[in-house]
Amino acid sequence: DVKVTQSSRYLVKRTGEKVFLECVQDMDHENMFWYRQDPGLGLRLIYFSYDVKMKEKGDIPEGYSVSREKKERFSLILESASTNQTSMYLCASSPGQRNSPLHFGNGTRLTVT
Amino acid sequence: KNQVEQSPQSLIILEGKNCTLQCNYTVSPFSNLRWYKQDTGRGPVSLTIMTFSENTKSNGRYTATLDADTKQSSLHITASQLSDSASYICVVSRQAGTALIFGKGTTLSVSS
Protein backbone atom coordinates (compact mmCIF):
# COMPACT_ATOMS: atom_id res chain seq x y z
CA ASP A 1 0.00 0.00 0.00
CA VAL A 2 1.20 3.45 -0.89
CA LYS A 3 2.06 5.57 2.08
CA VAL A 4 2.29 9.35 1.97
CA THR A 5 3.52 10.74 5.25
CA GLN A 6 3.27 14.35 6.31
CA SER A 7 5.60 15.27 9.13
CA SER A 8 3.11 17.12 11.33
CA ARG A 9 -0.64 16.74 11.88
CA TYR A 10 -0.98 20.09 13.66
CA LEU A 11 1.24 23.13 13.54
CA VAL A 12 0.87 26.56 15.13
CA LYS A 13 3.14 29.34 13.90
CA ARG A 14 3.36 33.09 14.33
CA THR A 15 2.93 35.65 11.59
CA GLY A 16 6.21 36.23 9.77
CA GLU A 17 7.77 32.89 10.67
CA LYS A 18 9.28 30.64 8.00
CA VAL A 19 7.39 27.37 7.93
CA PHE A 20 8.43 24.03 6.44
CA LEU A 21 5.91 21.31 5.69
CA GLU A 22 7.45 17.97 4.79
CA CYS A 23 6.01 15.12 2.77
CA VAL A 24 7.51 11.71 2.05
CA GLN A 25 6.13 8.95 -0.19
CA ASP A 26 7.37 5.38 -0.29
CA MET A 27 6.25 4.17 -3.74
CA ASP A 28 8.79 5.78 -6.05
CA HIS A 29 6.12 8.01 -7.60
CA GLU A 30 7.24 10.58 -10.15
CA ASN A 31 4.58 13.17 -9.35
CA MET A 32 4.07 14.98 -6.08
CA PHE A 33 1.61 17.71 -5.21
CA TRP A 34 0.77 20.23 -2.50
CA TYR A 35 -2.84 21.30 -2.00
CA ARG A 36 -4.60 23.43 0.53
CA GLN A 37 -8.15 22.71 1.59
CA ASP A 38 -10.46 25.37 2.96
CA PRO A 39 -14.16 25.11 3.85
CA GLY A 40 -16.35 26.04 0.91
CA LEU A 41 -13.40 26.23 -1.49
CA GLY A 42 -12.40 22.61 -1.88
CA LEU A 43 -8.86 21.57 -2.74
CA ARG A 44 -6.64 24.05 -4.52
CA LEU A 45 -3.28 23.20 -6.06
CA ILE A 46 -0.31 25.18 -4.77
CA TYR A 47 2.65 23.51 -6.50
CA PHE A 48 3.49 20.21 -8.11
CA SER A 49 6.59 18.39 -9.24
CA TYR A 50 7.17 15.88 -12.05
CA ASP A 51 10.64 14.89 -11.05
CA VAL A 52 13.53 15.67 -8.77
CA LYS A 53 14.45 19.36 -8.82
CA MET A 54 11.48 20.13 -11.08
CA LYS A 55 8.54 22.22 -9.93
CA GLU A 56 5.51 23.83 -11.49
CA LYS A 57 3.17 26.47 -10.10
CA GLY A 58 -0.38 25.48 -9.43
CA ASP A 59 -3.39 27.73 -9.06
CA ILE A 60 -2.36 29.57 -5.89
CA PRO A 61 1.46 29.64 -5.58
CA GLU A 62 1.76 33.13 -4.11
CA GLY A 63 3.44 33.13 -0.72
CA TYR A 64 4.72 29.58 -1.12
CA SER A 65 7.76 27.81 -2.50
CA VAL A 66 8.71 24.15 -2.80
CA SER A 67 11.74 21.93 -2.84
CA ARG A 68 12.25 18.47 -4.27
CA GLU A 69 15.84 17.37 -3.77
CA LYS A 70 15.01 13.66 -3.56
CA LYS A 71 12.33 11.73 -5.42
CA GLU A 72 10.52 10.64 -2.28
CA ARG A 73 10.42 14.02 -0.54
CA PHE A 74 8.52 17.19 -1.42
CA SER A 75 8.66 20.17 0.90
CA LEU A 76 6.36 23.16 1.03
CA ILE A 77 7.83 26.38 2.39
CA LEU A 78 5.97 29.41 3.63
CA GLU A 79 8.63 32.12 3.48
CA SER A 80 6.80 34.48 5.82
CA ALA A 81 3.63 32.98 7.24
CA SER A 82 0.49 35.09 7.24
CA THR A 83 -2.88 34.53 8.90
CA ASN A 84 -4.55 33.89 5.53
CA GLN A 85 -2.35 30.83 5.16
CA THR A 86 -4.14 29.16 8.05
CA SER A 87 -5.49 26.04 6.37
CA MET A 88 -5.33 22.27 5.95
CA TYR A 89 -2.38 21.34 3.73
CA LEU A 90 -2.51 18.05 1.85
CA CYS A 91 0.38 16.37 0.08
CA ALA A 92 -0.26 13.81 -2.65
CA SER A 93 1.73 11.61 -4.99
CA SER A 94 1.00 9.63 -8.13
CA PRO A 95 2.88 7.56 -10.68
CA GLY A 96 3.51 9.02 -14.10
CA GLN A 97 0.56 7.36 -15.87
CA ARG A 98 -2.30 9.71 -16.70
CA ASN A 99 -5.17 7.67 -15.22
CA SER A 100 -3.47 6.87 -11.94
CA PRO A 101 -5.11 8.00 -8.71
CA LEU A 102 -3.60 10.50 -6.33
CA HIS A 103 -2.49 9.11 -2.98
CA PHE A 104 -2.92 11.68 -0.24
CA GLY A 105 -1.30 12.13 3.12
CA ASN A 106 -3.50 12.83 6.14
CA GLY A 107 -2.80 16.51 6.07
CA THR A 108 -1.21 19.16 8.23
CA ARG A 109 -3.53 21.63 9.88
CA LEU A 110 -1.57 24.87 10.07
CA THR A 111 -2.69 27.76 12.22
CA VAL A 112 -0.92 31.09 11.84
CA THR A 113 -1.54 33.51 14.70
CA LYS B 1 -14.56 27.92 -17.63
CA ASN B 2 -13.54 24.51 -16.30
CA GLN B 3 -15.79 23.71 -13.36
CA VAL B 4 -17.03 20.77 -11.33
CA GLU B 5 -20.31 21.17 -9.47
CA GLN B 6 -21.51 18.68 -6.87
CA SER B 7 -24.92 18.26 -5.36
CA PRO B 8 -26.27 18.13 -2.81
CA GLN B 9 -23.86 20.04 -0.61
CA SER B 10 -24.81 17.82 2.31
CA LEU B 11 -27.02 14.83 2.92
CA ILE B 12 -28.28 12.91 5.94
CA ILE B 13 -29.56 9.36 5.56
CA LEU B 14 -30.44 6.45 7.80
CA GLU B 15 -28.14 3.48 8.05
CA GLY B 16 -29.05 0.82 5.52
CA LYS B 17 -30.54 3.24 2.99
CA ASN B 18 -29.18 3.93 -0.47
CA CYS B 19 -28.17 7.34 -1.75
CA THR B 20 -26.89 9.01 -4.91
CA LEU B 21 -24.51 11.92 -5.17
CA GLN B 22 -24.29 14.04 -8.30
CA CYS B 23 -21.42 15.64 -10.17
CA ASN B 24 -21.74 17.90 -13.23
CA TYR B 25 -18.72 19.24 -15.04
CA THR B 26 -17.79 21.61 -17.82
CA VAL B 27 -14.15 20.52 -18.11
CA SER B 28 -12.75 20.22 -21.61
CA PRO B 29 -10.98 18.37 -23.07
CA PHE B 30 -11.98 15.54 -20.77
CA SER B 31 -9.57 12.83 -19.71
CA ASN B 32 -11.07 11.05 -16.72
CA LEU B 33 -13.38 11.49 -13.74
CA ARG B 34 -12.53 10.43 -10.21
CA TRP B 35 -14.44 10.02 -7.00
CA TYR B 36 -12.65 10.33 -3.67
CA LYS B 37 -13.84 9.70 -0.12
CA GLN B 38 -12.48 11.89 2.64
CA ASP B 39 -13.06 10.92 6.26
CA THR B 40 -12.91 13.71 8.82
CA GLY B 41 -9.31 14.57 9.64
CA ARG B 42 -7.88 12.33 6.92
CA GLY B 43 -6.70 12.74 3.35
CA PRO B 44 -8.95 11.79 0.42
CA VAL B 45 -8.89 8.17 -0.73
CA SER B 46 -9.60 7.15 -4.32
CA LEU B 47 -12.85 5.23 -4.93
CA THR B 48 -13.04 5.07 -8.73
CA ILE B 49 -11.50 6.49 -11.89
CA MET B 50 -13.47 6.45 -15.15
CA THR B 51 -12.28 7.34 -18.60
CA PHE B 52 -14.38 8.56 -21.51
CA SER B 53 -15.26 5.04 -22.66
CA GLU B 54 -16.41 3.75 -19.26
CA ASN B 55 -19.94 4.47 -18.09
CA THR B 56 -20.07 2.38 -14.90
CA LYS B 57 -17.51 1.36 -12.32
CA SER B 58 -18.00 -0.32 -8.96
CA ASN B 59 -15.94 -0.52 -5.82
CA GLY B 60 -17.78 -2.64 -3.28
CA ARG B 61 -20.99 -0.82 -2.30
CA TYR B 62 -19.95 2.23 -4.33
CA THR B 63 -21.01 2.46 -7.98
CA ALA B 64 -20.04 5.41 -10.14
CA THR B 65 -21.65 6.22 -13.46
CA LEU B 66 -20.48 8.57 -16.17
CA ASP B 67 -22.39 10.13 -19.04
CA ALA B 68 -19.74 11.90 -21.09
CA ASP B 69 -22.34 13.32 -23.48
CA THR B 70 -24.23 15.22 -20.78
CA LYS B 71 -21.07 15.65 -18.66
CA GLN B 72 -22.66 14.15 -15.60
CA SER B 73 -21.54 11.55 -13.10
CA SER B 74 -23.17 10.01 -10.08
CA LEU B 75 -21.94 8.01 -7.12
CA HIS B 76 -24.44 5.53 -5.75
CA ILE B 77 -23.94 4.08 -2.29
CA THR B 78 -25.85 0.91 -1.52
CA ALA B 79 -26.92 -0.20 1.96
CA SER B 80 -25.16 2.66 3.69
CA GLN B 81 -23.11 2.11 6.84
CA LEU B 82 -22.05 4.49 9.58
CA SER B 83 -18.52 4.36 8.17
CA ASP B 84 -19.79 5.90 4.94
CA SER B 85 -20.12 9.23 6.77
CA ALA B 86 -17.55 11.36 4.96
CA SER B 87 -17.06 13.98 2.31
CA TYR B 88 -17.21 12.71 -1.28
CA ILE B 89 -15.23 14.66 -3.82
CA CYS B 90 -15.63 14.54 -7.59
CA VAL B 91 -12.50 15.37 -9.58
CA VAL B 92 -12.21 15.78 -13.34
CA SER B 93 -8.93 15.54 -15.18
CA ARG B 94 -8.18 17.48 -18.33
CA GLN B 95 -6.22 15.88 -21.14
CA ALA B 96 -3.56 18.54 -21.03
CA GLY B 97 -0.91 18.13 -18.36
CA THR B 98 -1.94 17.01 -14.89
CA ALA B 99 -4.64 19.60 -14.35
CA LEU B 100 -7.29 18.27 -11.96
CA ILE B 101 -10.47 20.21 -11.33
CA PHE B 102 -11.94 19.51 -7.90
CA GLY B 103 -15.54 19.79 -6.85
CA LYS B 104 -16.30 21.19 -3.40
CA GLY B 105 -17.62 17.87 -2.20
CA THR B 106 -20.81 16.43 -0.73
CA THR B 107 -20.86 15.77 3.00
CA LEU B 108 -22.73 12.58 3.81
CA SER B 109 -23.90 11.77 7.31
CA VAL B 110 -25.23 8.28 8.00
CA SER B 111 -27.17 7.98 11.23
CA SER B 112 -28.39 4.91 13.11
Side-chain angles (χ1 to χ4, degrees):
Chain A
D1 234 14
V2 177
K3 192 162 186 183
V4 178
T5 303
Q6 294 185 231
S7 54
S8 305
R9 288 302 305 274
Y10 301 95
L11 215 49
V12 180
K13 296 292 181 181
R14 293 191 182 275
T15 301
E17 277 193 82
K18 190 168 186 175
V19 182
F20 292 87
L21 302 183
E22 305 286 346
C23 175
V24 177
Q25 51 96 1
D26 66 357
M27 282 301 291
D28 203 36
H29 284 170
E30 286 80 8
N31 303 327
M32 296 190 74
F33 307 81
W34 275 106
Y35 291 90
R36 64 177 283 177
Q37 185 175 31
D38 300 289
L41 295 178
L43 275 80
R44 293 179 291 168
L45 181 63
I46 305 171
Y47 267 96
F48 61 99
S49 170
Y50 288 113
D51 203 349
V52 176
K53 296 193 185 295
M54 293 185 67
K55 58 185 178 184
E56 297 283 345
K57 291 180 180 179
D59 300 318
I60 51 165
E62 296 79 18
Y64 304 94
S65 63
V66 291
S67 173
R68 194 168 181 198
E69 296 297 317
K70 293 185 178 181
K71 192 174 186 180
E72 68 270 20
R73 187 179 298 269
F74 193 35
S75 303
L76 180 69
I77 303 152
L78 286 67
E79 295 291 341
S80 177
S82 63
T83 54
N84 63 12
Q85 292 179 310
T86 291
S87 185
M88 170 69 86
Y89 289 88
L90 289 162
C91 175
S93 72
S94 73
Q97 296 81 7
R98 180 171 297 282
N99 293 329
S100 300
L102 292 178
H103 298 268
F104 285 89
N106 281 326
T108 295
R109 183 164 293 282
L110 173 67
T111 302
V112 182
T113 62
Chain B
K1 186 179 178 184
N2 293 302
Q3 285 186 314
V4 176
E5 302 284 345
Q6 292 187 245
S7 62
Q9 189 172 358
S10 62
L11 185 61
I12 302 173
I13 63 173
L14 287 175
E15 188 179 14
K17 298 296 186 183
N18 303 336
C19 68
T20 301
L21 314 181
Q22 300 289 346
C23 174
N24 296 338
Y25 62 93
T26 57
V27 178
S28 181
F30 174 86
S31 176
N32 60 65
L33 185 143
R34 309 153 182 234
W35 283 95
Y36 285 84
K37 178 188 179 191
Q38 185 176 21
D39 293 318
T40 301
R42 315 281 286 188
V45 174
S46 178
L47 293 175
T48 63
I49 296 177
M50 288 184 293
T51 60
F52 186 88
S53 58
E54 297 173 297
N55 54 25
T56 302
K57 204 160 210 180
S58 292
N59 179 355
R61 294 179 296 102
Y62 301 101
T63 300
T65 64
L66 172 65
D67 185 335
D69 291 331
T70 61
K71 298 188 176 180
Q72 295 180 325
S73 175
S74 64
L75 181 69
H76 185 74
I77 303 174
T78 304
S80 61
Q81 299 176 358
L82 297 178
S83 59
D84 293 329
S85 295
S87 179
Y88 292 85
I89 304 170
C90 176
V91 186
V92 179
S93 174
R94 297 181 66 204
Q95 283 195 4
T98 61
L100 295 176
I101 316 299
F102 285 79
K104 292 184 172 62
T106 292
T107 301
L108 174 66
S109 298
V110 180
S111 60
S112 57

